[in-house]
Amino acid sequence: MNGELASDPRAYILGGNASTLAFTSSLVPENRQVTAWLVPLAWTPIGVVLGENWQRVGIAADNLAGWTDQTFDPADERSFVSSLRELDLLARIGWEAAVPEALTDENVVNVDDLPDDILDALTHAPESLVQCAICRRTCVRDHFVWNERRLCAWDYHATVFGKRGPWRDAPYEERLFETLPNAAYVAGPLLEEVKVDAILAIDGVDDALARTLLNTTIAADAAHAHLAVRTAGGYTLLRERGSEVPAGETA
């Protein structure tokens, strides 16, 4: 950190929890307060996502450590706080820098203090976050939308891929492809909860060919219900699990 220009965008992460990451770019008090920024977080099946909209807060300069401990309660299993010793040292030397436009692993000065999932989040672009329409969990705005409701991955998988989802027992008519569920991705561990298997993933091929492959697969397995999902890269075909055949019996 020594020798960095004050104009270089830098961030010192103060701590985080299940919903928020806090950082500062200046430990020089103004009116006895240090400015910090609160970044919303969304925990998803594929990792943590940083939110685009930050909240600016003022913290009493003589209670920075106390604010950090109180805000990031150890009772929250996802809470962490950065080195208070290093924070005190930076405050003593009057460390300050420009506020970055986005947090990255290159402009955060104390990456060694961060849990792996937060560190990984710094390598991805921030997203617009909202609350899930069902459980109110923070989620990525446009990853999972069903019936004009924005859902978290857990509620989307349970709702759309559950028993009441739009399952079919026959190949899709051409017009029905326009009504397929649209998801950013399909999360394997969440399929386990609804007893569903992903049996075909299609990515990067001509759309007409993809639809033919989907319908051919469905037609060849008429004993099960299927559900095609449009994903960011193409399609995923799901199949409901049938009842297991007891030992000694045949299907």
Side-chain angles (χ1 to χ4, degrees), residues 185-203:
Y185 55 88
V186 173
L190 301 189
L191 295 181
E192 285 293 324
E193 298 179 9
V194 290
K195 308 301 182 185
V196 169
D197 294 313
I199 62 170
L200 180 65
I202 304 173
D203 188 7

Side-chain angles (χ1 to χ4, degrees), residues 89-154:
L89 175 61
L90 292 176
R92 289 175 182 273
I93 65 175
W95 176 80
E96 63 178 339
V99 179
E101 294 184 0
L103 295 180
T104 70
D105 56 351
E106 295 182 352
N107 60 32
V108 170
V109 300
N110 60 326
V111 291
D112 290 342
D113 288 335
L114 308 185
D116 289 343
D117 41 17
I118 298 296
L119 186 58
D120 182 65
L122 296 178
T123 65
H124 302 285
E127 300 267 10
S128 176
L129 305 183
V130 296
Q131 286 188 316
C132 171
I134 295 178
C135 71
R136 315 309 294 172
R137 182 200 308 261
T138 302
C139 57
V140 181
R141 178 183 177 87
D142 295 320
H143 273 190
F144 298 100
V145 181
W146 183 245
N147 290 336
E148 300 183 353
R149 296 193 302 170
R150 291 179 169 83
L151 306 178
C152 68
W154 288 266

Side-chain angles (χ1 to χ4, degrees), residues 168-189:
R168 288 186 57 79
D169 56 6
Y172 285 88
E173 300 171 29
E174 192 63 27
R175 62 182 177 83
L176 294 179
F177 279 104
E178 303 306 318
T179 67
L180 295 183
N182 200 321
Y185 55 88
V186 173

